[in-house]
């Protein structure tokens, strides 16, 4: 008889959970990128409000970052280079979370700029949300084994986990 902890471990390590999280996080980043791409000037203002990126780099970041989000989101959904996409998007989430925390401690009344012109103030709720999304990308990085666009069509790869206790 299996214990509850082994069921939970099985669910958390599930490739099907990875697939669901891949699609969810991919959609979030596609939505975020699509909202920022049409108006990089507004996004540059949102970035400037954080007072972290040097002024000379604001416009470059405002133009490139939404495209990274969009392409990374598509890669996650399609199952292309999912570990790389999860790493990049997880790194972005880590940076975004760090920047939000810095501005919470500065007591800056700014919007997060996460989804373009949709204004959500920086808060601990945003830190929690970003942290949950970061944990989702970590799960995808570690346990994703379902790929749609590989040679031969839909592929399910079974990874062998070695037991070091034997």
């Amino acid at each position: 008889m299996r214990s509850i902890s082994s069921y939970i471990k099985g669910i958390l390590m599930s490739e099907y959970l990875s697939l669901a999280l891949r699609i969810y996080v991919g959609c979030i980043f596609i939505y975020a990128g699509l909202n920022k791409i049409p108006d990089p000037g507004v996004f540059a203002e949102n970035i400037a409000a954080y007072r972290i990126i040097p002024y000379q780099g604001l416009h470059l970041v405002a133009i490139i970052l939404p495209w990274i989000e969009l392409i990374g989101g598509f890669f996650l959904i399609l199952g292309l280079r999912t570990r790389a996409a999860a790493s990049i998007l997880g790194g972005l989430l880590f940076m975004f979370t760090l920047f939000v925390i810095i501005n919470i401690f500065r007591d800056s009344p700014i919007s997060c700029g996460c989804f373009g012109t949709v204004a959500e103030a920086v808060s601990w709720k945003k830190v929690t949300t970003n942290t949950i999304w970061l944990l989702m990308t970590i799960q995808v990085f570690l346990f994703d084994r379902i790929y749609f666009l590989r040679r031969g069509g839909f592929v399910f790869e079974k990874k062998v986990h070695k037991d070091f206790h034997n």
Side-chain angles (χ1 to χ4, degrees):
M1 189 166 186
R2 293 176 58 179
S3 67
I4 293 175
S5 64
S6 64
Y7 280 117
I8 293 171
K9 182 179 176 184
I11 290 170
L12 292 176
M13 294 174 62
S14 168
E15 60 274 358
Y16 299 108
L17 176 62
S18 293
L19 176 63
L21 296 178
R22 247 179 43 203
I23 293 169
Y24 176 71
V25 173
C27 287
I28 289 168
F29 275 95
I30 289 171
Y31 178 73
L34 286 175
N35 279 311
K36 295 171 192 166
I37 288 171
D39 200 353
V42 170
F43 184 49
E45 290 175 7
N46 288 335
I47 296 170
Y50 278 88
R51 299 177 300 164
I52 294 174
I53 306 288
Y55 178 75
Q56 297 81 3
L58 286 176
H59 296 291
L60 183 63
V61 171
I63 291 170
I64 293 175
L65 185 62
W67 287 100
I68 293 172
E69 292 175 339
L70 181 69
I71 293 167
F74 276 123
F75 271 50
L76 275 185
I77 290 173
L78 295 175
L80 293 170
R81 304 287 183 213
T82 53
R83 291 185 81 184
S87 297
I88 291 167
L89 297 180
L92 289 177
L93 283 166
F94 179 79
M95 281 188 342
F96 297 159
T97 305
L98 182 64
F99 294 168
V100 169
I101 290 170
I102 289 168
N103 278 280
I104 288 172
F105 284 119
R106 286 181 180 167
D107 204 24
S108 300
I110 61 173
S111 72
C112 72
C114 306
F115 300 105
T117 58
V118 178
E120 178 183 347
V122 293
S123 64
W124 289 109
K125 178 184 174 203
K126 190 68 203 165
V127 171
T128 304
T129 303
N130 282 356
T131 303
I132 291 169
W133 290 341
L134 175 60
L135 292 173
M136 289 178 181
T137 62
I138 292 170
Q139 197 280 348
V140 169
F141 179 86
L142 294 175
F143 303 110
D144 181 50
R145 293 181 290 283
I146 299 175
Y147 307 97
F148 292 113
L149 298 174
R150 287 274 175 102
R151 272 185 257 152
F154 179 76
V155 175
F156 173 78
E157 281 186 8
K158 200 67 161 163
K159 288 189 178 177
V160 179
H161 294 285
K162 295 181 181 178
D163 187 9
F164 294 106
H165 300 289
N166 288 337

